[in-house]
Amino acid sequence: MTTRTRLSHLQQLEAESIYILREVAAQFERPALLFSGGKDSITLVHLALKAFRPGKFPFPLVHIDTGHNFPEALQFRDDLANRIGEKLIVRYVQDSIDQGKAVEEKGKFPSRNAIQTVTLLDTIAEFKFDACIGGARRDEEKARAKERVFSVRDEFGSWDPKLQRPELWNIYNGKIHVGENVRVFPISNWTELDVWEYIRSENIPLPSLYFSHKRQIVWRENVVFPVSEFVTLDSSDKVEEKTVRFRTVGDMTCTAAVESEANSLDDIIREIQTSRTTERGSRLDDKRSEAAMEERKRGGYF
C-alpha cells in the first residue's frame, strides 16, 4: 500500500507556478521575465531557479527603468542578476522621452507610470518577445482579477478583457498570430499573504524597503509619501521623519509608505493578517480613476 503525501497550500501554489514557467519555455520562442526588484518579481526569479536549475533560464530578465525608481530596488536588481548569473536587459523611459515618443507629466508629483508602456512595447518589438512573464496577482486589483494566466495582447500591445481565452484544467493556449504577444502571470492565484509566507519559508532575500526604516516623508492624500528628488515640495508641505516600510514598490512618485515597526518577516506577516487596507491602496497611480489600472492595461501596461 502506497502512502500519498499531501502538498501544503504553498507547495501547491509553487508547483502550479513552476508548471506555468515550464509551459512558457515549451510554447514560446522568445519569452522574457519582467523584473522590477519588487517582492513579486523576486519571487518569480526564485521560482524560475527551481524550475530550470541547474540549467540557465530560457529567458532574460527585463527591467523598464522609469528613472524614478528607488535606489535600493535598483541595487538589489543588479546584485541579484550578478548572483544568479542571468542576463539582465534594461531599457529606459528617459530614452523614450528624449526621442519624443513619450511626454512626461508636469506638476508636483509627475508620474512616469503610464508612459513606461511606450518603452515596454518598444522593448518587446526590439527583441521580438512573444511572451512577457509578470508578477501580477488577481487579488491586487479588480482589473487584475479579470486576467487569465496566459493573457493575449494584440499587435498594438492592447488588452481586451472580453477576448480572454478559457483556461480549463490548467491547459494554457500559447498560440498567437504574428505581432501578438502574451503576458504570463504564474502567481495569479497567490495572495499577498501567500507571497510573504513563501518568502519566509524559502528565506528569499528582499530589498530593505520592505522592512521598517526611518525616512523623510510628507502627507499626500492622507497617506505617507516619501520625499525624493522627483517631487517638488512647496511651503505647504511639512517634511517629517517617520518609521515606515513599503508594502509594494513602484516609482518614488506614486508609491506611498505605511507607518510600521515591522522589521522581520514574522512581523510583516502578522501586520498583513490584521490589515484592513489592500496592498495597492498605497499606489496612488491606481487612484486616478475608478478604472485606472484597466485603462493602462488596455494601452499595453504590464
Side-chain angles (χ1 to χ4, degrees):
M1 180 177 178
T2 59
T3 302
R4 293 185 177 181
T5 302
R6 186 179 182 85
L7 296 179
S8 70
H9 173 62
L10 288 181
Q11 287 173 327
Q12 290 179 38
L13 289 174
E14 178 190 71
E16 178 187 56
S17 299
I18 289 173
Y19 168 73
I20 292 166
L21 287 169
R22 289 173 175 166
E23 281 294 293
V24 172
Q27 294 195 43
F28 297 97
E29 293 182 5
R30 297 182 185 88
L33 192 156
L34 301 178
F35 184 77
S36 66
K39 70 180 187 308
D40 295 317
S41 60
I42 291 169
T43 298
L44 281 180
V45 170
H46 185 80
L47 290 164
L49 289 168
K50 287 199 166 190
F52 301 111
R53 285 295 189 256
K56 300 285 286 184
F57 288 1
F59 40 68
L61 309 182
V62 175
H63 183 216
I64 305 301
D65 188 338
T66 64
H68 289 174
N69 303 96
F70 286 90
E72 297 95 326
L74 294 180
Q75 185 62 56
F76 188 93
R77 174 201 71 187
D78 295 339
D79 290 346
L80 176 61
N82 289 331
R83 176 168 57 83
I84 65 175
E86 295 293 342
K87 182 178 181 180
L88 172 66
I89 296 170
V90 182
R91 290 296 180 267
Y92 300 92
V93 171
Q94 186 62 52
D95 289 341
S96 298
I97 295 171
D98 293 342
Q99 294 163 10
K101 295 180 178 180
V103 178
E104 186 164 20
E105 278 188 2
K106 307 298 181 185
K108 191 172 181 179
F109 298 95
S111 173
R112 291 184 172 182
N113 198 293
I115 62 174
Q116 67 182 305
T117 298
V118 175
T119 313
L120 172 63
L121 294 179
D122 282 349
T123 304
I124 290 172
E126 177 186 354
F127 293 96
K128 296 182 173 58
F129 292 135
D130 52 2
C132 292
I133 304 164
R137 307 186 321 270
R138 292 193 178 111
D139 77 319
E140 289 182 277
E141 202 269 346
K142 56 188 177 183
R144 298 290 200 199
K146 298 178 183 179
E147 199 137 37
R148 298 291 194 267
V149 173
F150 275 27
S151 178
V152 179
R153 306 298 175 101
D154 65 22
E155 63 270 27
F156 304 107
S158 181
W159 172 74
D160 187 344
K162 295 180 181 179
L163 295 178
Q164 295 288 291
R165 297 170 175 177
E167 292 178 341
L168 307 175
W169 305 293
N170 292 332
I171 298 174
Y172 303 109
N173 181 2
K175 291 184 178 180
I176 55 176
H177 298 293
V178 175
E180 293 179 337
N181 68 84
V182 174
R183 308 292 170 84
V184 181
F185 304 111
I187 60 172
S188 281
N189 293 328
W190 299 44
T191 66
E192 181 188 11
L193 186 59
D194 290 332
V195 172
W196 280 107
E197 289 182 334
Y198 186 73
I199 287 169
R200 180 176 63 179
S201 70
E202 297 290 309
N203 196 27
I204 301 172
L206 292 175
S208 59
L209 293 162
Y210 285 107
F211 302 92
S212 65
H213 59 281
K214 291 191 180 296
R215 185 177 290 267
Q216 287 193 324
I217 64 96
V218 293
W219 288 95
R220 177 189 174 195
E221 299 180 22
N222 296 318
V223 296
V224 180
F225 200 76
V227 173
S228 74
E229 61 186 293
F230 308 117
V231 300
T232 303
L233 302 181
D234 56 38
S235 57
S236 67
D237 293 310
K238 181 182 177 182
V239 177
E240 305 175 52
E241 186 174 84
K242 295 282 188 181
T243 300
V244 301
R245 73 176 192 87
F246 293 88
R247 287 178 68 181
T248 179
V249 175
D251 277 1
M252 297 183 76
T253 52
C254 64
T255 306
V258 293
E259 293 189 75
S260 173
E261 298 289 341
N263 57 12
S264 71
L265 293 175
D266 288 340
D267 291 341
I268 290 171
I269 288 170
R270 280 193 292 268
E271 187 176 86
I272 293 171
Q273 287 171 331
T274 58
S275 176
R276 294 188 176 184
T277 60
T278 64
E279 175 185 8
R280 292 192 71 93
S282 58
R283 290 292 291 270
L284 300 186
D285 48 321
D286 289 352
K287 299 181 180 181
R288 296 194 170 197
S289 73
E290 281 293 316
M293 173 67 80
E294 185 160 329
E295 290 165 0
R296 294 200 303 275
K297 282 160 59 62
R298 285 179 180 270
Y301 186 72
F302 297 167

